[in-house]
Amino acid sequence: MAIKSMWISTESDPTIQSDALHCGGKGKNLFFILQQGLRVPPFVVLNPNGNSPKNIDQVTLEWLKESLNFPEFVAVRSSAVEEDGANFSFAGQFTSELFVPWGDIDKAIKKVWDSKSNSQIATYCAEHKIPEPNNLAIIIQAMVESEVSGVAFGINPLTGNRNEVVISSLFGLGEGLVGGELNADTYLVGDGITTQKIAQKSESFVFNTLGAGTQRIPLPSIQQSQSSLNEQQIAEVAKVVQDLGKTLGKAQDIEFAYNGGQLFVLQTRPITGLYRLANPMGERILWDNSNIIESYPGVTTPLTFGFIIQMYESVYVQLCRLLGVSETDLTNNKELFANMLGLLNGRVYYNLLSWYKALALLPGYHLNAEFMEKMMGVKERFELKGLKKRTHWQERWRVLIMIRSMITNLRGLPKMRTTFQKEFEEVMLKYNRIDLNLQRAEELMVLYQEFEQTLLKKWKAPLVNDFFAMIYFGITQKMAVKYGLPEGIHNDLLCGASDIISTEPIHRIKRISTMICNHAEAKELFENKKADEILKSLPQFAEIHAEIKGYIDKFGDRCVGELKLETITYKQDNEAFIQIIQSYVRQGIQETQGPRIDIQMRESAESKVREHLKGKPIKRWLFHYFLKHTRIMVSARENLRFERTRGFGKVREIFVAMGKIFYAEGLIDDPRDIFYLKHTEIFDYIKGTSVTPELSELIAFRKQKYANYVEMATNERIETFGMVYHGNNFAQQKSNDILEGDLMGLGCCPGRVRAKVQVIHNPKEVEDLNGDILVTSSTDPGWVTLFPTASAILVERGSLLSHSAIVSRELGKPCIVGITDLLKRLKTGDWVEMDGSTGVVKIIASEE
């Protein structure tokens, strides 16, 4: 045999023994076990150094047998460089020969060597995208005639518990355990407690005394239900596997045997696939996108996420400060506010642990939590543990401070809103006068940083208004139930507001459609020409042109995904808006004469309240007081959110201009690649503080990842443990079971509709719904242009304060939100009957 190198278990050269290139992974690990002073059956490592074994040197082999005191039978195993590594075990891929008579050792060596060329090795390497091994060391090791054999894992490989050792063992040789042919005992060792699961064991593998190999024999009846390891042995094995893991720096998987009461470690290797195992003992976080998906649907690029996580941190620190949280508590919880959001598979989620911890800083935590859940559309409460305990008087004092702060802010809110909108408008006018395309990159950076302070530091009015909208809405809803008013009437009472900006785009598009339909030539143009042709001809129709231009100037940033910086808005793509108008014109959707449906609904609800509360002046006064303020707060909430849309639009313009500069300078391959960088990375590049100046390479990597994210399924709620991106499966946590019976959700706008459904994932998929029921996962303000063409609206996500709920009430469109498994149960063409008051959806017929 052309043996280039040979190492035996009595050598002490640590350089050679630790070299996997010479000894292979398995051989290296055996020498390491020896160095720890553990018992290992005698072994030798042969390295053919890439040459096929041909001539076996019998003299050398006989010398090895005698010098190492090898028994008559040995094991011949592979030891490739890649084998038994941290990432790939190659378990069962190479041939292992057990109980080989010394006279047949040359045949066994050849057989093990030849196994490196088998087809399953090629398949294994291809699946794991690793090169095939080009060399194979071979281990000859004495067989141990085990009384007990087993395997042990330094962590629980099923649950991922890093503090739990798992041991599996049986009587006799380990062949029955490794091959899965025999039942084995299982021991869980952790935190000083050992849990035993003793198997019923009827047989064992032993050495065949009549020839090579093994044989199965019946176990004595006394051993069949007896533990194969005693308490001392369990503790000994657990300590060995833990110590090896600590020394090697990775949790180990060992094979062991007991012979004559002594423990032999047969091999050790890192537990592979650890990256798939989250640590259940780590911090538990629930992630929820019930309501935030309205603002950030689909995947969200790094530029947007880096911007909004900073926004959320700043505004909620401000909110807590306004509500009386001390500066000490704010400082001590700085990390909490920096982690209000998460990005899982490219999608934005609320970090409920952070949200609830932030709420817990406020006096009256349980009341606040309930209101916040309604506002966010969260369906299940996240219970906090280990909350800071305060004395009775401390808590009372905090409540008094909060009440005083709330009263002060509530009284000053109208002025606060007016001042905010005035100052915000001044900032917008200033920035609108700047031609961003004429600025240098460093100038754009400064403009952004100045504008950011407006968004981050001066957001008091929207925050306070949102907070009180949440409280007043919740109180009004509770009062309606307490006073026995008709179910869902609080939704009807919120219809018909004349000052809510969310519905203005619809009314203005209807007005444009009416103007076009009343002009024969313009109507002909919009019905029969393409959008680009219409834009070229539009100046011929001065009034229509002015109306469209006015719409785009004011509402050009209000579109699907309007808060995502990467979104292409109507300001950037006028043709997309022209296509919306075309769909209205072709369907004949125009301004209607007479009273609006939403106003009729509101007046009807008010009449029912008057009738129900007749003769109850105090209750009537209280209810109307809270209803009045709820209407004001909810309308203002939508109007202030529109200012946020405008602010985000300006940030988008800044980075679009930045992308053009980076592209022109050859730094990125496409102007829109800028969205795959966080704003801090862009600025670091400009300032010379970047740790990754090769922007194109970084962008290419992220674009590939994001392309994968688009194809991944999403869950409304995700549970993670420990390090969020390590071992937690974001895609397969939700049950695939489909509930039978009626679909249920939150009724937002009353009315019964029986019609076909159209499942729409993006409003750009269709021009109109032709009276079908709109079914979708979530909506944002950009969907409103499609609402008038639907007979009703069903949404899988959302809450009573979500955009689709508010706008549907204004349009008088029956609507239900928060419908579990909606998109699993319905498909385009199905017939349903929905009731916007009760939140019930009945499936009448499925489209086969």
Side-chain angles (χ1 to χ4, degrees), residues 445-456:
M445 177 179 69
V446 172
L447 285 171
Y448 166 80
Q449 291 168 338
E450 291 174 353
F451 189 78
E452 180 187 67
Q453 295 309 303
T454 300
L455 292 175
L456 296 184

Side-chain angles (χ1 to χ4, degrees), residues 161-211:
N161 189 339
R162 269 62 171 174
N163 301 325
E164 193 170 63
V165 171
V166 178
I167 303 171
S168 187
S169 63
L170 41 64
F171 292 110
L173 302 173
E175 186 176 342
L177 177 62
V178 176
E181 298 178 56
L182 300 180
N183 294 333
D185 301 328
T186 302
Y187 310 91
L188 303 180
V189 183
D191 297 325
I193 299 172
T194 300
T195 303
Q196 302 186 16
K197 183 178 180 182
I198 307 305
Q200 189 66 25
K201 303 173 288 294
S202 59
E203 295 178 304
S204 69
F205 278 89
V206 298
F207 172 59
N208 186 351
T209 57
L210 300 178

Side-chain angles (χ1 to χ4, degrees), residues 42-44 70-78 96-102 105 108 112 138-144:
F43 67 93
V44 63
F70 271 135
E72 183 62 30
F73 295 95
V74 295
V76 180
R77 291 190 175 97
S78 60
S96 291
E97 296 292 307
L98 306 179
F99 290 96
V100 178
W102 197 261
I105 196 168
V112 172
I138 295 172
I139 298 170
I140 303 172
Q141 187 172 28
M143 288 296 303
V144 176

Side-chain angles (χ1 to χ4, degrees), residues 65 84 127 149 155 242 250 283 368 399 423 452 536 566 602 613 666 710-711 738 770:
K65 179 182 178 183
D84 283 358
E127 287 178 353
S149 301
I155 68 169
Q242 287 177 322
K250 288 183 180 290
E283 185 176 53
N368 292 323
V399 169
E423 292 179 352
E452 180 187 67
K536 292 175 183 176
E566 63 270 20
R602 174 173 173 158
L613 298 180
V710 170
E711 302 301 321
I738 297 177
N770 294 313

Side-chain angles (χ1 to χ4, degrees), residues 598-765:
D598 55 326
I599 293 177
Q600 291 177 331
M601 289 168 55
R602 174 173 173 158
E603 292 174 347
S604 173
E606 288 173 341
S607 176
K608 291 175 183 177
V609 172
R610 283 194 298 271
E611 182 66 27
H612 197 83
L613 298 180
K614 185 184 295 183
K616 303 173 183 177
I618 295 177
K619 288 185 177 180
R620 186 172 66 248
W621 181 87
L622 279 173
F623 185 78
H624 282 296
Y625 172 83
F626 282 102
L627 175 62
K628 172 187 174 183
H629 284 279
T630 300
R631 286 170 170 168
I632 293 171
M633 300 295 179
V634 171
S635 292
R637 180 174 184 256
E638 287 297 299
N639 296 341
L640 292 171
R641 285 188 169 198
F642 177 63
E643 304 299 0
R644 180 184 63 179
T645 297
R646 293 175 65 204
F648 275 55
K650 186 55 63 178
V651 172
R652 180 185 295 111
E653 289 177 24
I654 291 172
F655 283 106
V656 166
M658 187 78 78
K660 291 176 181 177
I661 293 173
F662 275 47
Y663 173 70
E665 296 293 333
L667 303 177
I668 56 179
D669 298 329
D670 186 281
R672 290 189 56 78
D673 283 353
I674 201 75
F675 296 110
Y676 289 93
L677 298 171
K678 294 176 69 175
H679 67 285
T680 51
E681 292 172 329
I682 296 168
F683 298 159
D684 282 340
Y685 189 91
I686 293 171
K687 295 183 296 182
T689 55
S690 175
V691 297
T692 311
E694 297 79 12
L695 298 183
S696 291
E697 295 177 15
L698 180 60
I699 290 168
F701 171 78
R702 286 181 179 168
K703 288 175 79 171
Q704 180 59 54
K705 295 293 289 185
Y706 269 74
N708 295 335
Y709 292 153
V710 170
E711 302 301 321
M712 292 179 180
T714 59
N715 286 318
E716 182 176 320
R717 176 165 284 206
I718 293 173
E719 182 180 52
T720 63
F721 294 91
M723 293 185 286
V724 174
Y725 293 123
H726 175 59
N728 290 295
N729 190 333
F730 304 150
Q732 298 179 0
Q733 297 196 18
K734 197 170 182 179
S735 170
N736 290 323
D737 297 336
I738 297 177
L739 301 174
E740 297 299 329
D742 296 336
L743 290 165
M744 288 292 299
L746 299 171
C748 298
C749 186
R752 283 196 173 190
V753 175
R754 181 188 178 106
K756 282 194 306 182
V757 305
Q758 279 199 52
V759 178
I760 307 297
H761 299 284
N762 187 316
K764 294 179 181 178
E765 294 175 12

Side-chain angles (χ1 to χ4, degrees), residues 58 68 99 140 142 170 196 268 305 364 416 477 491 499 541 564 592 597 604 612 670 674 715 742 766 812 833 837 841:
Q58 293 295 337
L68 289 179
F99 290 96
I140 303 172
L170 41 64
Q196 302 186 16
T268 186
F305 184 72
M416 204 184 298
Q477 185 181 27
N491 291 325
D499 59 346
F541 311 97
K564 295 167 68 174
T592 55
I597 295 175
S604 173
H612 197 83
D670 186 281
I674 201 75
N715 286 318
D742 296 336
V766 294
E833 183 174 352
S837 296
V841 181

Side-chain angles (χ1 to χ4, degrees), residues 370-478:
E370 182 179 348
F371 284 144
M372 182 61 80
E373 286 158 3
K374 290 183 181 298
M375 197 167 188
M376 292 166 61
V378 174
K379 296 178 181 177
E380 302 172 43
R381 173 163 292 188
F382 184 88
E383 296 294 343
L384 292 177
K385 297 179 181 178
L387 288 176
K388 179 180 178 181
K389 292 184 178 179
R390 293 182 172 89
T391 66
H392 180 70
W393 289 107
Q394 283 177 324
E395 193 59 29
R396 278 193 170 190
W397 180 248
R398 293 179 75 244
V399 169
L400 287 174
I401 293 174
M402 180 178 178
I403 291 173
R404 185 185 67 178
S405 178
M406 288 174 65
I407 292 172
T408 300
N409 283 303
L410 182 59
R411 286 176 174 173
L413 184 54
K415 183 178 179 181
M416 204 184 298
R417 286 194 296 254
T418 303
T419 301
F420 167 79
Q421 289 183 302
K422 178 185 176 184
E423 292 179 352
F424 185 82
E425 192 62 36
E426 289 174 355
V427 172
M428 291 298 294
L429 286 172
K430 171 188 171 183
Y431 274 77
N432 286 339
R433 286 192 289 266
I434 299 172
D435 189 339
L436 297 175
N437 291 315
L438 297 179
Q439 308 301 306
R440 301 191 313 274
E442 53 270 35
E443 291 173 329
L444 289 173
M445 177 179 69
V446 172
L447 285 171
Y448 166 80
Q449 291 168 338
E450 291 174 353
F451 189 78
E452 180 187 67
Q453 295 309 303
T454 300
L455 292 175
L456 296 184
K457 305 298 183 186
K458 299 180 180 180
W459 214 251
K460 181 178 178 180
L463 280 172
V464 174
N465 189 88
D466 263 17
F467 181 78
F468 283 110
M470 172 178 70
I471 290 178
Y472 275 100
F473 182 86
I475 291 174
T476 302
Q477 185 181 27
K478 282 190 171 184

